[in-house]
Amino acid sequence: MTRRNFLKASVASAIAANGLTWFSASEVFGADTVLIPSASHWGPFKAVVKKGVLVGIQPLTDVDAMPTTMLTKGLISRVYHKTRVKYPMVRKSYLANPGGDTKRHLRGKEPFVRVSWDEALALTANAILTTAEKYGNEALFSSSYGGWSHAGLLRPQVLQGRLFGLIGGHSVTTGDYSGGASQVSLPHIIGDMEVYSPQTAWEVMADHTEVMVWIGCDPFKNNRIEYTVADHQMFPRWQLIKERGVKFVSINPQYTPTDVALGSEWVKIVPNTDTALFLAMSYHVYTTGRYDKAYLDKYTVGFDKFLPYLLGKDADGTPPKTPEWAAKITGIPAKKIVELAELFASKRTQFAGAWALQRAHHGEMTHWAIINFAAMLGKIGKPGEGVGFSWHYGGGGMPQSGAVMPVGLSQGRNPVKTRCPASRISEMLMNPGKQYTRDGATHTYPRVKLIYNAGNNFMSHQQNTNELLRAMNENVDTVICQDPWWCASSRFADIVLPATSALERDDMSTGGTYSNDKIYAMRKVIEPYGESLDDFEIFRRLGELMGVGYQFTEGLTVMQILEKSYNATNPKVPFAEFWEKGMVRIDVPDKMRRWVRHGDFYTDPAKHPLHTKSGKIELYCSEIDSFKIPDCPPIPKYLEPAEFLGNARPGQVHVVSPHPYNRVHSQMAQADVRFEQNVKGRQHVRISVEDAKAKGIRNGDLVELYNERGALIAGAEVTDQIMKGVVSLEEGNWIQLDSRGRCNSGAINIITTSVASSGLSQATSANTCIANLRKCTDAESENLAYEPPAIEQAGKLGLDIAGMKLMERAATIKGSTMASMTPGEKLFYERCTLCHVPREPGDFTKNQWHGITQSMFPRAGLDDAQRKLVLEFLEKNAKDAAAM
């Protein structure tokens, strides 16, 4: 070890031990210290680097309204954490016999063996090509979903999709966990996905809103992070809105950080029953004449088909949806339901529905019921009123610049069209060839034999973890994980490729997610940890092995890609100056400070129709009716969930799993910020005072949650801020199974169900979860989820890489290149396929694409001429193109 490396290692060890953290903006540094601008999901910052080691973070207080400890502490503690994957690794039994019996049941249990990059990449490429040769490219499956790995342009799931598209394609996920049900249903109902749409500008809310209704919605927690770079600008704005006298009402089984900050009135509700509440309020405003008939006539269709159900005259035989009916289901007294309905009818009211509501069995019904109620009150599209399903995300409420923003490399066109809904991976693995429906179309699950996972912790995200493990061990030959850390997905993989963290590479991002009023340089802060490589370089090297290296890079370096992307935004500041300073601001037009969601539609529905089949809000949807899906009716109905407190056994609890306070899903799980809330090293679980007393549980005890799907151990936080019968366990923990199969780390998906929301969306129903609760006195060890696995050293393997003939074999399965595409098609796959996986043109109708692209185009960085080309391509290939 050189003296320089020794010093770096010593300083890094000191940081790991002492937790060096943030510096104020006035801090003075010595000549041996440099400040490097960068940015992250947790906020923009200047990295304080001494002798090549990150020693601290300096938040940009003039940009970030509320730097969190995820930025000031977590970023440092995790980059130097012992769970970093330092070298390429292969699971011991897999390495011993790659083409034979690899003892798949030992995944997650046995040691890994260190190998060289040449050996690891050759094994990876060979596994990919062997799988494609034996089973076809459909057998290659990407679990690399979501793009949350870091805030930059060059995200691993995009780069992976690009590489695999050049060698014949692969099967991918479709939809997502976050808003999987509503992103399918709401384009039919209100003309846009809504869950990924900008919200009314905050100044409009401050001037017009009288009542703000949080329905499971918690922006003070969820907006601590963003898909791009968080700047927390809505936090002080919410305080200003409060000072204007707005009343906040929170309909939620727990009292949230938002409720604490804004003093919300708390209305406790049984989880998964919000649909019943909004149906009952709809019944009440109709029967008392408080509804707006003129609005319904002008702006909606289908009320005549919705009304019989409200009145108990529907063919399904269900009773009238009275407040008394709903009280028995929701736990909210009938008198309170009437009070709420009359308050919302008499005041200028904005309804803010959380994504969590639709992550449930029959989740499509909830947002729809809220829309129908708001429409009956004549509120949608009016200043400071209506519905919004993204107030808790992306800085919802901040005015939008509408500017062209930078984009990176595209995924391009995937020659393979087989897809799996994001939350249905276990079902796909267990049922190759099975048909399933989604959005009215019938699809077939591929026979998957290889999983490639880059930048995503699918082992922590997928519901019913034990089911997933069984499915993988029975059916998947090879699991490859490309990640900086020994997260759960790395621990259960066969080949692990160490990627750099975002601090060890150059990239670029934007902020905020909706406002798009800044561009950030994500400059490289430190050298790669161990032998890790950035994702671009890993895929470039794999591309070289398989003969598509030049097509993958198009002859460009990372810096050339970033400069080209930046210059495409027509910037006022030269790239070199931007890169040195680390940020440029984008002007926001004054008119956007008065922007109202659905406002143009309300002002002139003939000139600005919604992108639904009727052009109006669909209280009854004929398109959904035509699909004839047994578990998704064409109007919002209350359908009893498969499991909830209404059908639970005595003593059982409903487990909700909200987004974490100090993580981005499983990111930051091992960082020091976990100690702010962890109980005895495990994820904390909120338990009501009543339930804790009944079960002999005290604050700080270990508890066990268990059902027929699995068991986990968590730490009790006894509180009066959650209702009796409900416990709250944040999602995203890494997994550590004890000898009895219990997760000793508190990972929620050990006990969640993999039942689909419905046949319309095939989305997750993770918040539909009943479990037993007891005090745990038999934990076998401390939580070991954040310890690295056992590592063994290996001599040179002696692989005959040349003899594998990787380039020659890849040539036989290559897919199409960008050169064969029409201009609009090329733009679509270049600029509109940067999130999750590319949505296929046939996923939506022409009208739906016109609605969806209103939010998509600004983030894709397209000018007017380019937007026209893309729309022409989408219209020509839309779901209803052939029928027109």
Side-chain angles (χ1 to χ4, degrees), residues 18 37 50 122 127 129 136 154 208 288 410 485 535 568 571 703 722 752 829 831:
N18 300 319
K50 185 175 183 177
L129 297 175
L154 300 176
H208 295 277
T288 58
S410 72
W485 290 279
D535 294 294
V703 298
I722 194 164
T752 52
Y829 285 111
R831 308 288 284 277

Side-chain angles (χ1 to χ4, degrees), residues 811-873:
T812 66
I813 61 170
K814 278 184 183 178
S816 303
T817 65
M818 302 287 278
S820 62
M821 299 185 185
T822 64
E825 182 182 13
K826 188 172 187 291
L827 276 169
F828 175 73
Y829 285 111
E830 279 184 341
R831 308 288 284 277
C832 306
T833 60
L834 304 178
C835 304
H836 303 300
V837 296
R839 301 190 187 279
E840 292 298 324
D843 285 350
F844 300 104
T845 64
K846 295 179 181 180
N847 255 339
Q848 289 170 345
W849 272 121
H850 276 268
I852 292 165
T853 52
Q854 288 182 7
S855 299
M856 184 177 78
F857 281 161
R859 290 194 288 274
L862 300 179
D863 61 29
D864 289 342
Q866 292 170 328
R867 295 179 186 199
K868 182 179 179 181
L869 286 171
V870 171
L871 276 175
E872 288 174 355
F873 163 69

Side-chain angles (χ1 to χ4, degrees), residues 621-663:
C621 181
S622 61
E623 281 190 304
I624 292 178
D625 196 3
S626 70
F627 298 157
K628 304 303 177 188
I629 301 168
D631 56 356
C632 188
I635 57 173
K637 291 187 174 186
Y638 173 71
L639 305 173
E640 183 173 296
E643 50 189 80
F644 80 125
L645 289 178
N647 55 30
R649 295 191 299 273
Q652 290 188 310
V653 293
H654 193 121
V655 188
V656 295
S657 47
H659 187 280
Y661 185 79
N662 266 341
R663 295 192 298 271

Side-chain angles (χ1 to χ4, degrees), residues 521-532:
M522 293 176 61
R523 283 172 52 184
K524 181 180 177 180
V525 171
I526 55 176
E527 290 302 311
Y529 197 77
E531 292 182 0
S532 56

Side-chain angles (χ1 to χ4, degrees), residues 542-590:
L542 279 172
E544 290 287 347
L545 283 175
M546 295 186 284
V548 293
Y550 183 81
Q551 294 95 318
F552 178 80
T553 66
E554 297 182 4
L556 300 174
T557 65
V558 166
M559 285 305 298
Q560 287 172 332
I561 293 167
L562 298 180
E563 184 169 2
K564 180 180 178 182
S565 298
Y566 177 82
N567 289 336
T569 67
N570 300 312
K572 297 178 181 178
V573 177
F575 178 78
E577 180 181 343
F578 154 71
W579 194 252
E580 176 65 25
K581 292 182 177 179
M583 184 190 74
V584 295
R585 296 180 184 269
I586 308 297
D587 294 335
V588 176
D590 284 343

Side-chain angles (χ1 to χ4, degrees), residues 291 489 568 635 672 718:
Y291 74 108
S489 297
I635 57 173
D672 288 355
V718 179

